[in-house]
Amino acid sequence: MKKLELHWRILIGMALGVIFALIMVQLEWGPKLVADWIKPFGNIFINALKLIAVPLILASLIKGVSDLKDISKLSKMGGRTIATYIITTVIAVSIGLLVVNVVKPGGSITEDTRNELVESYKGDADSIKSKADKQKEAGPLQALEDLVPSNIFNAASDNGNMLQVIFFAIFFGIGLILIPEEQASPVKKFFDGFNEVILKLIDIIMLAAPYGVFALLAALVVESPSVDLFKALAWYAFCVVLGLALMLCVYLLIVWIFTKKSPAFFMKGMSPAQLLAFSTSSSAATLPVTMERVEEHLGVEEEVTSFVLPIGATINMDGTSLYQAVAAVFIAQAFGMDLSLSAQLGIIVTATLASIGSAAVPGAGMVMLVIVLAQAGIPEAGLALIFAVDRPLDMCRTVVNVSGDATVSMLVAKSVGKLGEPKVRNWDDNYHKDTSAQ
């Protein structure tokens, strides 16, 4: 196994996890065994990744911003990053609307199936709707107010406050640029070293990735809803997956046209991060690995990855936006509603804005979907129609979210002359150097 490349080891772990779960489902004591003795190892793996997400953002962003040595470079890179993220999100929502209007999956839902789904998932739908109602009650500038933390330690204690941590890191980095170099040097050296330690911890955690995804996939299969409900939603799931696949093709085309790098180069470099995104359903949990793969395997310099990727993990949710567009129209079709062109254009705008405020954690897209549904006048009760397949689709759309972040980082790097050749580092490089010198 150790001689295989990481993405093959992760794929083998995923496949064995599914096979193991299918066997366990047939045994009376199997599901309990998976829940008690297998699932905890998957949770430990995700927790290990989440553990270093905030330290990574702090270290890499402060280092990246202070390395710029010029605030004008920061505004230039920031403007290009946010503009590109918004453009790719609009493309994603448009692809979702095109697919769902052509396939019309909502037409295949019968009245009986609709009632069964609404009844089965009514509690979950009500819970999500209450969270969304709180969000809608907030004032127009609430998002801006929430961006600035009152206490950085409180902000750093919760992975849901990533934007606040990013704000502090950029602010701190600007402060380092503005003070005399001799005073900034000790602080900068600390964060340079801190960043290297975190990157090495990522390498160590990734040694456990095949076993972590085995546990995650086994638990997911065992806890899945009944097959009958999945059949009823097969066309809807097909639309989401087709849209996500088309969006992935758009990324590959963009990379090929603008950076002259082949699709095979991009996929080989990003496959471990994509497989991890699929297993964890969390852009935030995958962020440490995404940063490592983009920098070491796609050739984007650290100055760009440390700025573009943490921001992308919180505001660039192309896969989530596409899914929201498909889900909104699907629910409307299931209820026999005919959405006008203006209503669908409204979905593009709302889904794009909602993706910016969506947390980079599993299930956050469902909360934002309520806002999209309300804007288009679609019954929020329709959320219950899609709960049965939300988890597997969440896994798929996280792959696209992570791929979009990597694509934009390559584009920004190319535009500022920071895209070079990959420089791969192994987890024990320094250890071998030290022992051979003794």
Side-chain angles (χ1 to χ4, degrees), residues 92-250:
V93 177
S94 302
I95 288 174
L97 288 175
L98 176 67
V99 170
V100 76
N101 279 292
V102 170
V103 179
K104 297 190 186 319
S108 63
I109 294 248
T110 63
E111 185 72 31
D112 290 341
T113 304
R114 184 193 307 153
N115 292 338
E116 182 186 350
L117 285 165
V118 170
E119 190 60 37
S120 298
Y121 293 96
K122 188 175 186 305
D124 291 332
D126 289 344
S127 171
I128 294 289
K129 187 176 181 302
S130 67
K131 288 180 185 175
D133 286 341
K134 286 182 186 174
Q135 209 147 348
K136 283 192 283 186
E137 286 170 9
L141 295 180
Q142 187 65 46
L144 191 62
E145 186 181 333
D146 291 341
L147 183 63
V148 182
S150 59
N151 186 319
I152 185 55
F153 297 103
N154 282 346
S157 68
D158 183 359
N159 281 9
N161 294 328
M162 286 291 191
L163 277 177
Q164 294 186 345
V165 176
I166 288 170
F167 174 85
F168 174 81
I170 293 173
F171 199 34
F172 194 95
I174 291 170
L176 275 179
I177 293 173
L178 295 176
I179 65 174
E181 195 167 336
E182 63 272 14
Q183 292 177 328
S185 181
V187 182
K188 207 175 164 324
K189 281 180 181 175
F190 167 78
F191 280 106
D192 287 355
F194 186 43
N195 190 52
E196 286 301 315
V197 171
I198 297 297
L199 292 175
K200 193 55 65 180
L201 291 179
I202 296 166
D203 289 341
I204 296 170
I205 291 170
M206 286 309 291
L207 295 175
Y211 311 101
V213 298
F214 170 90
L216 289 167
L217 265 290
L220 177 71
V221 172
V222 166
E223 293 170 356
S224 292
S226 68
V227 176
D228 292 337
L229 293 183
F230 275 127
K231 285 179 182 175
L233 298 171
W235 278 111
Y236 161 69
F238 168 75
C239 284
V240 175
V241 172
L242 176 61
L244 294 174
L246 290 173
M247 192 62 205
L248 199 54
C249 292
V250 169

Side-chain angles (χ1 to χ4, degrees), residues 46-60 156 159 162 165 198 202 205 282-288 291 310:
I46 291 180
N47 287 343
L49 285 169
K50 288 181 177 178
L51 172 69
I52 56 175
V54 169
L56 175 69
I57 287 175
L58 274 173
S60 62
N159 281 9
M162 286 291 191
V165 176
I198 297 297
I202 296 166
I205 291 170
S282 171
S283 302
T286 313
L287 178 62
M291 292 181 74

